[in-house]
Amino acid sequence: MTHYVVIGNGVAGTKAATAIRGVDAAAEITILSADDRPFYLRPKLADFIAGKIPEPAVAGKQPDFYTRNGIKLRLNTLVAGLDTSKQQIKLADGTSVSYDSLLIASGGRPAKPAFPGSDLDGVVTLKTFADAQALKAQLSRGKRVMILGEGLLGLEMARACREAGAEVTYLLRGERFWPEVLDDDSAALVERRLQDKSIVLRPSSGVSEALGSAGRLRYLILTDGATVPADLLCVGIGLVPDIDFLQGSGIAAGRGVIVDEALATNLSGVYA
């Protein structure tokens, strides 16, 4: 019996496990997930934060999905490394999992800002349901929220915080929104939508430093020299591949895992 192991319980990992079951009814299939809950719909996290949908609506699969498909899901399971010569996955708790065929579908994690004070309580990102719960718990009407990062994640955080009743200011690095991707007309449309929601736009403004007291964010020093009060800073400056555990494994990687047209890595039996 072949043991297929998937690292990651997002869309790619879940779809892959389902597809494997479709072609190999006898296989043993294990999904390793660092998350604390089964597959859920990340695009719905903003609506959950805003209070528009309840927690159960974020779930992406029926409760019996894994048992019905014969998939073993291991939650709260952090991968620490790979021993590809022995075909073993080393876990953070000191144990290991053997595999015959491995799929790396670990996705990305939010990029961390580099300015001083970025580790203060109140500087937040959004990737997991736990992140959404934490952000929702900190939001209340009148909270002063700053958004850093132009893109879909920043937009969703801005919308969620505003619909939850917070006062939201969007910091734009340039004179208009997301110039690397949007033309002038598209950027103007997005800006009008933001302003229609009473979100304040602050062009040519980044963050130089975050200041706080008792470990909690209180002020931001912006790149234009201004010091502004802030209760929360939502950071959505992009994702980086979550593949630190591949160090020393022999699997070729650059900006991400390097694969061929069949999604195979340079090592036999390992895909991404």
Side-chain angles (χ1 to χ4, degrees):
M1 180 188 300
T2 303
H3 185 199
Y4 298 92
V5 178
V6 178
I7 299 175
N9 190 38
V11 173
T14 304
K15 284 282 189 181
T18 307
I20 292 168
R21 177 57 71 220
V23 297
D24 191 343
E28 182 182 359
I29 304 172
T30 301
I31 296 178
L32 305 178
S33 175
D35 215 323
D36 62 355
R37 61 180 56 219
F39 174 75
Y40 53 90
L41 302 172
R42 296 185 195 276
K44 289 192 174 184
L45 292 179
D47 287 334
F48 169 74
I49 294 168
K52 297 173 69 175
I53 61 173
E55 179 177 331
V58 182
K61 297 292 182 184
Q62 295 297 319
D64 66 343
F65 166 78
Y66 296 94
T67 54
R68 181 162 36 87
N69 287 278
I71 298 169
K72 182 179 181 180
L73 174 63
R74 294 184 56 173
L75 299 174
N76 296 304
T77 303
L78 183 64
V79 174
L82 299 180
D83 186 339
T84 51
S85 64
K86 296 181 179 179
Q87 291 185 281
Q88 288 188 334
I89 303 163
K90 296 181 285 187
L91 305 180
D93 64 5
T95 63
S96 63
V97 176
S98 297
Y99 65 87
D100 297 307
S101 187
L102 172 65
L103 174 66
I104 301 164
S106 48
R109 62 179 184 272
K112 293 183 177 179
F115 53 80
S118 61
D119 58 345
L120 287 170
D121 185 19
V123 180
V124 301
T125 58
L126 179 59
K127 172 69 187 300
T128 66
F129 191 84
D131 294 335
Q133 287 178 308
L135 178 54
K136 184 176 182 178
Q138 295 187 73
L139 282 173
S140 63
R141 189 167 301 279
K143 282 273 186 159
R144 297 164 298 186
V145 177
M146 298 284 181
I147 307 293
L148 179 66
E150 293 155 56
L152 298 179
L153 180 56
L155 285 169
E156 285 293 87
M157 287 192 289
R159 177 177 69 84
C161 292
R162 183 69 195 113
E163 290 178 353
E167 299 173 4
V168 179
T169 299
Y170 212 128
L171 303 176
L172 307 182
R173 288 168 295 170
E175 288 298 319
R176 62 177 180 83
F177 187 86
W178 212 6
E180 299 91 344
V181 175
L182 303 180
D183 60 23
D184 288 347
D185 291 338
S186 300
L189 177 62
V190 173
E191 290 172 9
R192 284 197 298 272
R193 282 294 188 87
L194 291 168
Q195 290 167 333
D196 287 345
K197 288 184 174 291
S198 299
I199 294 172
V200 176
L201 304 180
R202 186 160 182 151
S204 303
S205 297
V207 177
S208 294
E209 185 175 358
L211 303 176
S213 60
R216 176 77 196 178
L217 175 67
R218 302 299 180 191
Y219 295 93
L220 295 175
I221 299 178
L222 304 183
T223 52
D224 60 10
T227 299
V228 296
D231 300 305
L232 288 168
L233 172 64
C234 296
V235 180
I237 56 176
L239 297 174
V240 295
D242 196 1
I243 54 173
D244 290 350
F245 60 88
L246 295 184
Q247 293 182 12
S249 68
I251 297 172
R255 294 178 60 190
V257 183
I258 298 172
V259 298
D260 64 15
E261 65 276 6
L263 303 183
T265 70
N266 59 308
L267 297 185
S268 177
V270 181
Y271 301 83

